Amino acid sequence: MDKSISQKVLEKIKEEKIAPKPEWRFSVCRIFVLALLGFFLVAGAISLGIIFDLFSQFEIQRLFGRPKGMKLIFLSLPYIWIVLLTFFSFLAVIEFIKTRHGYKYKTSYIILFFLVLVLALGAFLHVLGFCKQLENYMESYIPAYSQIVRTPQNVWFQPENGLLSGVVIMDDEMGCHCLELRDWNREVWKVEYSGALIHPRIKKNNGEIIKIVGSKKAEHRFEAEEIRSWVGKKMQSIEERD
Amino acid sequence: MQNKKDIELKSDEELAGLISDNPDFYYILMQRYEEKILRYIRRISNFPRETIEDLGQEIFLKAYENINDFDKSLKFSSWLYRIARNHVISHWRKNKNDKMFLSYDVDENFKNMFEAEENVVKDLENKLTGEFILKVLGGIRSDYREVLMLRFLEDKDYEEIGDILKKPIGTVGTLLSRAKKELKEELLKNNFKANI
């Protein structure tokens, strides 16, 4: 009489002394998936924190309403961080689905949940100033970083588009309502500011870093419409705290 | 020895917890599921009998080796069906030349499935042949066919189907409702008149 499948399998188990895989192996796999999920979540949050950080340094709201403002904003977006944010968030969602009970939830709910989580964690890291420190570190120690990412210096140094920034080296020496500014390429600009709105914090002292909205009048000549401190209000409060 | 009767009264999940210590408990579980799993493999693959038996053995062996990964929040049957389904799919992927021909033996469950479409199907008894079932189910999308089979032929509830296919319950409901709609259309296409 033919043996049943159950009998054949039991015989094979006994003859070949097959044993179930130990529980710790499955636990290690599950912990690995959870660790990856945590890593992707934190990496996504850091990416978002850096985006917040860059935006607050750009003072992107100042670019709205300006001629070519939308183009400037579009060109200023930190694409590399946006790509990394999307990539890590996507991987976090995938890892969550791979967890033991991840499949029980609708993908749209999981995506929404992780968006909120990454947003909250990213905002928290931004407020703590962690992302700014990380970004400063990358700018200092990774030479290619400022070429890959549109740093605030890049964004606020587009004279043709009405944005200029740099260090004040001389102010109103001849009573001309103008100052001299050294830009990030060490070129010197004469900036006329008689009709400009000047932020109260601006002292125009030598060595002060400022950013200017206005228009380029000639080679190395610029007319200011608004002069702002290099460090935005939010960033200043973080720097003061640091 | 623990009374044979006591052991046989234990639930699948209780037995699954005892297998690591004694493979004989697994034999009881295999006996409970042998027929169901072989029938399930046949329904989703229709491989030849020998292949189905080989796959059955591999599935039971795989389940035994991975018994410590059994999630006690699931039904044992859902976990075993999931392993069976994945194993059949991976076998089919490795042996794409072994075509999966659909064919069905008529049984009472098919009648239940078709009758679930309450507005369709009158003289079902006369028409319910293997050829007819093949024609109707063959015209349905494979994921719809799979969910219909699990619901009506394997008699699984939404939660179990979700656990087997690794899909949320809401998605199972949507799939099932679309599958029933498509089944109805196929039945009408095959000359079943509305039973109104």
Side-chain angles (χ1 to χ4, degrees):
Chain A
M1 192 182 149
D2 271 356
K3 284 180 189 168
S4 70
I5 301 251
S6 308
Q7 284 169 317
K8 286 180 192 167
V9 172
L10 185 68
E11 275 177 19
K12 191 175 165 85
I13 288 171
K14 287 185 172 172
E15 275 168 22
E16 296 181 19
K17 294 191 170 55
I18 299 170
K21 290 174 193 164
E23 199 164 353
W24 64 263
R25 276 179 62 175
F26 300 107
S27 302
V28 166
C29 287
R30 281 198 288 273
I31 290 168
F32 182 70
V33 169
L34 287 176
L36 268 183
L37 169 64
F39 170 76
F40 293 140
L41 187 65
V42 171
I46 290 175
S47 308
L48 186 66
I50 290 177
I51 292 170
F52 284 155
D53 187 57
L54 289 170
F55 276 174
S56 63
Q57 288 182 65
F58 293 169
E59 292 197 282
I60 213 158
Q61 70 276 14
R62 299 283 151 198
L63 305 179
F64 276 114
R66 287 197 52 71
K68 300 181 190 167
M70 289 315 287
K71 186 184 160 197
L72 282 173
I73 290 169
F74 188 71
L75 289 173
S76 311
L77 292 175
Y79 288 104
I80 184 91
W81 289 112
I82 292 172
V83 169
L84 286 174
L85 165 68
T86 314
F87 177 68
F88 287 127
S89 305
F90 173 75
L91 290 180
V93 169
I94 298 289
E95 281 307 312
F96 181 80
I97 293 172
K98 274 166 46 180
T99 59
R100 236 178 181 190
H101 298 128
Y103 68 88
K104 287 183 185 267
Y105 304 94
K106 273 195 164 183
T107 311
S108 51
Y109 293 161
I110 299 173
I111 291 171
L112 192 69
F113 174 73
F114 275 93
L115 277 181
V116 172
L117 204 59
V118 166
L119 200 69
L121 201 56
F124 179 65
L125 292 174
H126 167 63
V127 170
L128 280 185
F130 173 78
C131 296
K132 183 174 168 48
Q133 284 178 6
L134 187 68
E135 222 227 330
N136 287 344
Y137 179 85
M138 285 189 284
E139 245 180 291
S140 309
Y141 294 99
I142 307 172
Y145 180 75
S146 53
Q147 283 156 17
I148 298 168
V149 176
R150 298 284 291 180
T151 60
Q153 282 91 336
N154 294 143
V155 172
W156 281 90
F157 183 57
Q158 301 181 65
E160 306 299 332
N161 290 320
L163 302 175
L164 183 68
S165 58
V167 185
V168 176
I169 51 173
M170 196 185 289
D171 177 39
D172 206 17
E173 202 166 53
M174 315 288 281
C176 62
H177 291 285
C178 54
L179 57 80
E180 281 189 2
L181 181 101
R182 190 189 297 122
D183 68 23
W184 308 110
N185 295 331
R186 307 193 67 78
E187 302 276 341
V188 176
W189 291 75
K190 195 157 196 166
V191 179
E192 204 270 313
Y193 59 78
S194 56
L197 176 70
I198 302 174
H199 197 272
R201 274 193 283 138
I202 301 292
K203 302 284 182 275
K204 300 193 285 305
N205 292 333
N206 281 6
E208 189 178 5
I209 306 174
I210 56 171
K211 54 192 176 204
I212 307 167
V213 178
S215 52
K216 186 182 172 184
K217 291 296 168 191
E219 203 54 33
H220 297 116
R221 291 186 77 87
F222 201 82
E223 189 177 309
E225 289 165 21
E226 188 180 350
I227 301 180
R228 300 186 59 77
S229 169
W230 175 247
V231 186
K233 223 177 192 174
K234 277 184 197 164
M235 293 313 297
Q236 194 179 43
S237 63
I238 289 170
E239 283 196 344
E240 277 165 3
R241 206 175 50 206
D242 292 344
Chain B
M1 187 188 161
Q2 208 169 355
N3 276 340
K4 203 180 169 192
K5 257 192 178 169
D6 287 349
I7 292 167
E8 278 174 359
L9 283 174
K10 284 189 187 296
S11 69
D12 298 344
E13 292 73 25
E14 284 172 324
L15 281 175
L18 301 170
I19 288 168
S20 288
D21 305 325
N22 186 349
D24 288 327
F25 290 119
Y26 190 52
Y27 180 68
I28 301 168
L29 268 180
M30 283 193 287
Q31 277 185 318
R32 286 185 193 175
Y33 282 98
E34 181 174 325
E35 200 184 317
K36 288 178 187 171
I37 289 295
L38 293 181
R39 194 180 55 213
Y40 177 61
I41 300 170
R42 183 166 48 79
R43 278 177 176 158
I44 61 172
S45 71
N46 199 48
F47 288 135
R49 193 167 151 258
E50 303 76 50
T51 312
I52 290 173
E53 285 184 2
D54 289 346
L55 285 174
Q57 286 190 50
E58 287 163 16
I59 288 162
F60 280 121
L61 209 53
K62 199 172 184 179
Y64 175 73
E65 285 177 327
N66 291 289
I67 196 72
N68 285 325
D69 193 32
F70 168 55
D71 178 357
K72 291 175 182 67
S73 67
L74 299 184
K75 281 190 175 178
F76 178 78
S77 70
S78 304
W79 183 73
L80 189 61
Y81 270 73
R82 186 196 288 173
I83 292 176
R85 175 181 182 266
N86 292 343
H87 194 75
V88 170
I89 290 172
S90 90
H91 174 86
W92 181 74
R93 281 187 185 145
K94 279 183 211 153
N95 305 277
K96 280 201 168 166
N97 292 334
D98 298 359
K99 283 195 175 172
M100 292 170 83
F101 294 107
L102 291 172
S103 81
Y104 303 96
D105 297 333
V106 182
D107 66 36
E108 199 59 21
N109 290 321
F110 280 103
K111 197 178 156 202
N112 294 340
M113 180 163 91
F114 293 147
E115 280 179 348
E117 275 315 306
E118 65 272 14
N119 287 335
V120 185
V121 183
K122 227 181 172 179
D123 47 351
L124 190 61
E125 300 287 350
N126 305 331
K127 292 204 174 183
L128 204 58
T129 62
E131 199 185 346
F132 171 76
I133 295 167
L134 172 64
K135 202 171 173 191
V136 173
L137 290 186
I140 291 178
R141 256 174 57 171
S142 60
D143 52 341
Y144 290 170
R145 191 165 54 230
E146 186 169 31
V147 84
L148 281 172
M149 277 187 195
L150 286 169
R151 180 76 191 100
F152 296 106
L153 307 188
E154 304 298 333
D155 203 25
K156 302 290 179 197
D157 62 29
Y158 282 30
E159 195 176 351
E160 287 174 286
I161 297 173
D163 290 334
I164 294 167
L165 302 178
K166 289 188 104 177
K167 287 188 190 300
I169 293 180
T171 306
V172 171
T174 310
L175 269 177
L176 204 51
S177 132
R178 288 181 188 161
K180 281 160 83 175
K181 200 175 158 202
E182 204 165 303
L183 173 67
K184 186 175 176 177
E185 282 167 12
E186 276 302 313
L187 284 170
L188 290 171
K189 233 191 266 175
N190 286 279
N191 297 328
F192 270 89
K193 287 180 184 124
N195 185 23
I196 304 169

